[in-house]
Amino acid sequence: MPTPELISVDDLFKLPARAQAAISPDGTRVAYLAPWQDRLNVWVAALDSDAEFGADALRVTADETRSILHFEWTDDSRWLLYLQDTGGDENWHVFRADPQNPSEPAVDLTPFPGAMSVFELLADPGKAMVYSNKRTPTLVDVYEMDIATGELTLVAENPGTVSGWPTSRSGELFATALTSDGDVELLQWETSTRTLRSIVTFDGADYTMGLFPITVTPDGTGIWIGSNDGTDHTRIVRVDVITGEQTHVDSHPTYDVDPRACVYREMPQPLILDRHSRDLIGVRYLGERQVVQALDPQFAAVLENLEKLSDGDLNAVSSDLSGQRWVVNFTHDREPGLTYFYDHGTGESRLLFGSHPHLTAEDMAPMKPVTIRSRDGLTLHGYLTLPVGVEPKNLPTVLLVHGGPWVRDSWMFIPAVQLLANRGYSVLQVNFRGSAGYGKAFTKAAIGEFAGKMHDDLIDGVNWAVDQGYADPERVAIFGGSYGGYATLVGVTFTPAVFAAAIDYVGISDLSNFMRTLPEIARPHLANNWHLFVGNPDDPEQEADMLARSPITKVDQIRTPLLVIQGANDVRVVQAESDNLVEALRARGVDVEYMVKDDEGHGFVNPDNVIDMFRAVDRFLAEHIGDG
């Protein structure tokens, strides 16, 4: 296969032409995201039209500052609700857009400065539950919202322990909370007494990110959750809200329920619900690729036909209230995204759009699932992407480390991976111990192993790539964001001889400072993840161990060329994490590149900033492991 021409950073990272389509409940229109003023906004187009899809589209939002990433139709197809923050500060506001009057400005329904609000739609299409910490920063309360007027009615005040409020479509309210021992408790809100009644308690050490997924059954008598009680892999059970008894609903013999939406809002939820009844009709599982299991005969027939539309993995799905008309999106390693319409009643299907029509799939590099043996015998899964048209031998290589750490890499189109492969680098992604989706024991194998065996797994991956002949050991770079940024800094402080270049993107340099500066709303809920896996900075002995695992205490070891990238409004990994590292290096006379964007948070969103960042990445890697 010939070597493809160089693809510009601008072409790979420009906004999609269209993305994230969702059919209206009445089945007549499709809402989707498309650019306006170089920001993604919500547009609505007719589904049944003689013209090409989108030719009659109307823009219903006008955000010039920051792209919109999450929206939903109300069940009567009257309104669109969406979330937006300010410059990446994660103080989400709930906005209402009017598809019948697209020229009307969107309305901020939660105009509370400094507060975070998210919503969940109720069966009454004029109502939504809103969860907000406007009363006090550390506690999320529950309000019922009248969507048309914006009126909020307090439903439940947080007593101080609640971390989440699952709600049924008819408004029955439940809660998840941490006990004093760090266990996870499931409770029911008693409206008459305005108190919480305990249903069941789970071992907190088994639920690193809390109960996920969690959805109340339509009748409010049960709750579907992802459970690994008595098993290694996460399956779906129904918890009886009266007795707490767990009943098996669905499982996969070797895969966990897809964990990605636990962290990434843009990923589809693992539970697929009927649009009208809200019954559970499908469950997503994740191995090397995604597997969707149907729990309903009608959806099984729909699913069979949907999966014929593309050889990619089924991503976002939406249907009308009848369950006959569907709009679905597929993710693929070489294809940025294809969105189809399918009518189950007529059998009609057609491609609505591709997200990046200017890119050619044949020019993209395939992601190959790989299995690596760790030095202590664990099986590590990951992906290797090799450049197209280049002999896969002795290549400059980028070890790309995912964030979390309790998430995982998966088979999908990743612009950063394609940029690197297009430049002639092999790209290795290793799901090191602690990554989600490989069973409870694999996740818990990371307890106490920050800068320890978690990092050994990454080095074992590099050694595997060298031994297989793919990677040139003298030209290996490490690049990661969030936890991956921490792993990058660990790489250049604990194992500096391995890497010829390093890129730290919103990464942690000081584990104790990171935990102390997390948003107030997050700090009460660290017992089962950061405190369990790393330590509690309020304990002097544990803090000392955390500092020993923190790159900030080992900056004298850094001799690898380093690029640091940070968002000024990051509330998870605050700018001081990068500032302190860069200042310490410069005080030693070490030349370190540092990029800070004033209008970004924990991960860049605005395309001008994303493009600026990857131009710097492209140039930096070319200088240090490429051909210059």
Side-chain angles (χ1 to χ4, degrees):
M1 183 178 293
T3 303
E5 294 182 3
L6 287 184
I7 304 169
S8 71
V9 171
D10 297 52
D11 278 346
L12 270 170
F13 291 94
K14 70 189 296 185
L15 290 175
R18 297 181 181 128
Q20 288 182 231
I23 191 170
S24 61
D26 63 12
T28 65
R29 293 164 292 167
V30 174
Y32 58 88
L33 299 178
W36 177 74
Q37 301 290 77
D38 205 29
R39 301 291 183 263
L40 290 176
N41 276 269
V42 183
W43 298 66
V44 174
L47 190 53
D48 298 316
S49 172
D50 293 334
E52 180 182 357
F53 175 79
D56 61 348
L58 297 173
R59 177 176 47 79
V60 300
T61 66
D63 197 317
E64 302 177 64
T65 305
R66 194 165 182 81
S67 289
I68 296 167
L69 299 178
H70 178 81
F71 68 88
E72 288 187 49
W73 287 98
T74 57
D75 275 355
D76 58 359
S77 305
R78 177 65 186 87
W79 305 106
L80 284 158
L81 299 186
Y82 68 94
L83 297 177
Q84 185 60 287
D85 69 349
T86 303
D89 66 1
E90 301 192 43
N91 287 325
W92 299 103
H93 289 225
V94 180
F95 285 81
R96 184 192 70 215
D98 187 350
Q100 295 182 9
N101 299 288
S103 61
E104 288 292 316
V107 177
D108 186 353
L109 298 173
T110 56
F112 316 127
M116 176 272 293
S117 302
V118 293
F119 68 91
E120 187 169 352
L121 297 172
L122 296 175
D124 180 341
K127 305 287 186 183
M129 283 295 198
V130 171
Y131 313 102
S132 178
N133 63 338
K134 75 184 188 74
R135 178 175 62 91
T136 181
T138 58
L139 302 175
V140 172
D141 301 322
V142 186
Y143 302 82
E144 185 179 271
M145 171 183 282
D146 184 297
I147 296 172
T149 66
E151 180 182 1
L152 289 173
T153 302
L154 181 66
V155 175
E157 278 195 2
N158 194 324
T161 57
V162 171
S163 55
W165 294 98
T167 307
S168 76
R169 291 278 291 171
S170 54
E172 288 94 355
L173 189 60
F174 300 86
T176 57
L178 284 181
T179 70
S180 58
D181 296 327
D183 292 328
V184 180
E185 191 173 18
L186 186 59
L187 309 101
Q188 183 171 21
W189 178 258
E190 301 281 11
T191 304
S192 58
T193 61
R194 302 189 66 78
T195 58
L196 289 166
R197 176 187 65 83
S198 180
I199 298 172
V200 63
T201 301
F202 302 91
D203 184 348
D206 291 346
Y207 293 87
T208 301
M209 300 301 288
L211 299 179
F212 176 83
I214 180 166
T215 300
V216 183
T217 62
D219 60 7
T221 66
I223 303 175
W224 295 305
I225 69 165
S227 172
N228 52 32
D229 279 12
T231 68
D232 188 52
H233 288 289
T234 303
R235 65 196 190 284
I236 299 299
V237 303
R238 179 188 181 276
V239 177
D240 186 285
V241 302
I242 301 300
T243 66
E245 180 183 0
Q246 297 183 43
T247 305
H248 176 267
V249 174
D250 193 57
S251 59
H252 189 280
T254 55
Y255 298 161
D256 278 6
V257 172
D258 189 341
R260 293 173 293 180
C262 182
V263 174
Y264 301 116
R265 187 185 299 276
E266 64 273 19
M267 296 302 299
Q269 291 293 322
L271 302 187
I272 302 174
L273 305 179
D274 181 89
R275 182 64 176 266
H276 177 65
S277 69
R278 298 294 163 165
D279 286 329
L280 180 59
I281 59 175
V283 182
R284 301 174 190 266
Y285 297 89
L286 194 60
E288 292 180 350
R289 298 272 300 270
Q290 177 191 251
V291 173
V292 180
Q293 295 189 165
L295 278 64
D296 169 84
Q298 178 172 328
F299 180 65
V302 170
L303 179 63
E304 181 180 3
N305 290 329
L306 293 180
E307 291 182 332
K308 293 175 183 176
L309 298 175
S310 169
D311 61 353
D313 284 355
L314 191 64
N315 195 32
V317 301
S318 62
S319 79
D320 66 355
L321 288 171
S322 74
Q324 296 298 304
R325 312 193 97 200
W326 294 77
V327 168
V328 299
N329 170 264
F330 289 87
T331 187
H332 194 284
D333 60 343
R334 304 178 75 184
E335 178 69 62
L338 298 176
T339 296
Y340 289 84
F341 167 69
Y342 168 70
D343 189 316
H344 191 59
T346 66
E348 175 196 0
S349 65
R350 66 179 185 269
L351 177 67
L352 295 181
F353 59 81
S355 64
H356 292 72
H358 61 287
L359 296 178
T360 303
E362 289 72 22
D363 291 338
M364 303 299 150
M367 291 179 70
K368 173 187 174 184
V370 295
T371 301
I372 300 163
R373 198 74 169 169
S374 76
R375 66 189 68 180
D376 62 348
L378 282 185
T379 298
L380 308 174
H381 297 277
Y383 298 89
L384 178 68
T385 303
L386 298 171
V388 175
V390 176
E391 184 182 4
K393 186 175 181 180
N394 211 36
L395 297 170
T397 296
V398 179
L399 175 65
L400 191 62
V401 188
H402 70 68
W406 304 287
V407 293
R408 55 159 285 181
D409 286 315
S410 57
W411 186 87
M412 61 192 300
F413 186 86
I414 305 171
V417 171
Q418 295 300 331
L419 173 70
L420 297 172
N422 182 256
R423 298 307 190 259
Y425 309 121
S426 69
V427 184
L428 179 63
Q429 297 168 271
V430 179
N431 285 315
F432 48 85
R433 71 191 68 203
S435 300
Y438 295 100
K440 178 170 58 177
F442 187 82
T443 300
K444 293 171 76 171
I447 293 174
E449 296 300 339
F450 274 54
K453 293 180 180 179
M454 294 169 76
H455 187 63
D456 290 345
D457 291 346
L458 297 175
I459 301 302
D460 291 345
V462 171
N463 292 337
W464 171 87
V466 170
D467 292 342
Q468 296 293 313
Y470 297 120
D472 177 352
E474 301 301 318
R475 294 188 294 164
V476 177
I478 183 170
F479 176 13
S482 194
Y483 171 85
Y486 165 79
T488 294
L489 296 176
V490 169
V492 297
T493 51
F494 286 71
T495 54
V498 175
F499 300 106
I503 303 170
D504 159 31
Y505 176 34
V506 296
I508 303 162
S509 65
D510 182 338
L511 289 166
S512 60
N513 184 67
F514 159 72
M515 286 188 214
R516 289 195 174 103
T517 55
L518 279 168
E520 290 182 87
I521 197 168
R523 276 178 254 163
H525 311 295
L526 299 177
N528 300 331
N529 41 67
W530 290 98
H531 288 175
L532 173 65
F533 281 73
V534 188
N536 187 339
D538 294 334
D539 180 311
E541 185 175 341
Q542 293 182 44
E543 183 184 26
D545 180 66
M546 292 164 68
L547 287 172
R549 298 171 187 269
S550 295
I552 194 67
T553 63
K554 298 181 181 298
V555 291
D556 60 321
Q557 299 296 311
I558 296 178
R559 59 179 185 268
T560 307
L562 178 63
L563 169 61
V564 178
I565 303 166
Q566 179 69 43
N569 299 324
D570 195 334
V571 295
R572 303 192 198 192
V573 179
V574 297
Q575 185 176 333
E577 288 294 304
S578 293
D579 284 351
N580 293 342
L581 176 81
V582 170
E583 288 169 9
L585 286 170
R586 288 176 175 170
R588 287 179 46 228
V590 176
D591 183 24
V592 55
E593 292 191 43
Y594 190 23
M595 174 183 288
V596 181
K597 295 297 184 182
D598 292 336
D599 56 347
E600 295 288 1
H602 194 62
F604 293 2
V605 170
N606 289 338
D608 44 347
N609 292 330
V610 174
I611 288 170
D612 196 20
M613 167 184 163
F614 279 99
R615 283 176 179 164
V617 167
D618 190 13
R619 173 193 47 75
F620 179 82
L621 291 176
E623 179 181 349
H624 296 292
I625 66 168
D627 297 327

